[in-house]
Amino acid sequence: MMRIVVLLALAFLFGGVAAGDEMAAVPAAVISDPAPDLDHPASSAQVLVPSHGKEMNGLIYLAAGAGPHPTLVLLHGFPGNEQNLDLAQAARRAGWNVLTMHYRGSWGSPGTFSIAHVLEDGDAAVAFVRRSDIAERFGIDRDRIVLAGHSMGGFASASHARKDGALLGVALIDAWNVGGTGARLNQVPPAARRPKVEKAFNDLGHSLKGATPSSVAAEIVAHRAEWNYLDWASALTGPPVLVIGAERGLGKDNDALAAKIAAAGGKVTAVTMPTDHSFNDHRIALAAQLIGWLQALPAR
């Protein structure tokens, strides 16, 4: 069962937090297929998303119906073993287009991987769906763009949302506070740091080009000050924000971010689920929260 993580006292004091309803009905799009639209069927299309001279591998899920449709840009985490494509499918069943893609240097996309590049690539993905030619080609409502991300993708989503007040909303799914991790790593003597990061980042396989656990650790230590998302709260008070944390994942950092956004006057829906970082035993609950929140967003 889901637990509300932002205290009611915060809602009373700051007026910025909406609690996710732990007893809310699961939206139909999460668990059932809609009737087929034979004139405008659901489909998908491979796309190449430009970012700083490279073309990232992407897939856009296209909702049924004539459109234009609201569109979700969905960013995966580090390194991307969990892509959350069940969320993309549920959002499409709910009438949303969804763009997914692999950052430069990840999973076959050309270029070199780095956290700094991920931030640029998230910006590039939003710019891509806003292009007039792309919007016309894929039936995108450019006034109804939502950015969502899991883990590192949540970090990149928060980073982009700081400077994009035109988003309809932003969803952070157990978002990784990269700067906070960097600050903690900085306290570890260099000689002891390598075995810790090798253990922490032991699932890279061949997914990333030009990056190793040690290089990623060095990057986040170097940027620990500017990449602490708790310092971004005052810039996240425009579009509505959904924060979904995981108790056995990064829930504490997500709780803290939601509270800070609310204190700054932002519109936050905050929920923590009793699960791990990948929501392995709460996938339907996760989809229900995301889709219910998307469906409740105001029309432009």
Side-chain angles (χ1 to χ4, degrees):
M1 181 174 288
M2 294 171 285
R3 176 176 65 85
I4 307 305
V5 299
V6 178
L7 299 179
L8 292 178
L10 269 178
F12 176 77
L13 288 172
F14 303 113
V17 175
D21 184 354
E22 55 187 309
M23 300 304 293
V26 176
V30 174
I31 55 175
S32 61
D33 291 314
D37 185 325
L38 299 182
D39 293 324
H40 303 281
S43 62
S44 60
Q46 185 268 337
V47 293
L48 296 175
V49 181
S51 181
H52 296 78
K54 305 296 183 182
E55 292 183 316
M56 299 181 289
N57 295 324
L59 185 70
I60 186 164
Y61 294 80
L62 300 170
H69 296 284
T71 297
L72 175 69
V73 176
L74 181 60
L75 304 180
H76 68 64
F78 177 86
N81 291 314
E82 174 57 71
Q83 296 182 51
N84 295 288
L85 298 184
D86 55 333
L87 303 183
Q89 295 278 10
R92 176 170 62 178
R93 290 192 295 270
W96 288 69
N97 296 330
V98 185
L99 173 66
T100 67
M101 54 87 177
H102 292 301
Y103 315 106
R104 282 175 290 164
S106 72
W107 300 94
S109 287
T112 301
F113 178 87
S114 70
I115 304 292
H117 284 177
V118 167
L119 299 182
E120 295 173 346
D121 296 343
D123 295 343
V126 176
F128 179 75
V129 298
R130 282 185 172 146
R131 280 170 38 184
S132 58
D133 60 325
I134 296 300
E136 182 176 0
R137 177 181 173 188
F138 295 118
I140 293 170
D141 182 347
R142 294 193 292 169
D143 291 327
R144 305 198 75 215
I145 304 295
V146 168
L147 179 60
H150 170 240
S151 191
M152 179 184 67
F155 167 74
S157 296
S159 177
H160 177 88
R162 291 180 295 166
K163 51 186 183 275
D164 188 352
L167 289 171
L168 185 65
V170 59
L172 312 178
I173 303 171
D174 215 35
W176 177 21
N177 187 359
V178 175
T181 298
R184 290 189 290 273
L185 278 177
N186 190 54
Q187 301 302 313
V188 179
R193 188 179 299 165
R194 181 169 181 174
K196 287 184 177 293
V197 299
E198 291 284 350
K199 181 178 180 181
F201 302 146
N202 66 349
D203 60 348
L204 302 191
H206 301 295
S207 59
L208 304 182
K209 180 180 179 181
T212 65
S214 293
S215 72
V216 171
E219 183 184 19
I220 64 179
V221 167
H223 292 276
R224 62 190 181 277
E226 67 264 38
W227 286 355
N228 189 320
Y229 64 36
L230 297 180
D231 297 332
W232 302 347
S234 62
L236 294 172
T237 57
V241 180
L242 172 65
V243 179
I244 305 177
E247 284 183 359
R248 301 195 302 275
L250 306 176
K252 289 183 178 179
D253 281 345
N254 283 254
D255 292 357
L257 178 60
K260 281 182 170 290
I261 295 171
K267 301 177 287 292
V268 185
T269 300
V271 173
T272 290
M273 298 183 185
T275 186
D276 61 12
H277 182 54
S278 293
F279 297 79
N280 280 306
D281 53 10
H282 273 65
R283 298 303 306 185
I284 290 177
L286 174 61
Q289 279 294 321
L290 177 62
I291 302 309
W293 177 79
L294 288 174
Q295 291 177 327
L297 288 173
R300 284 281 176 86

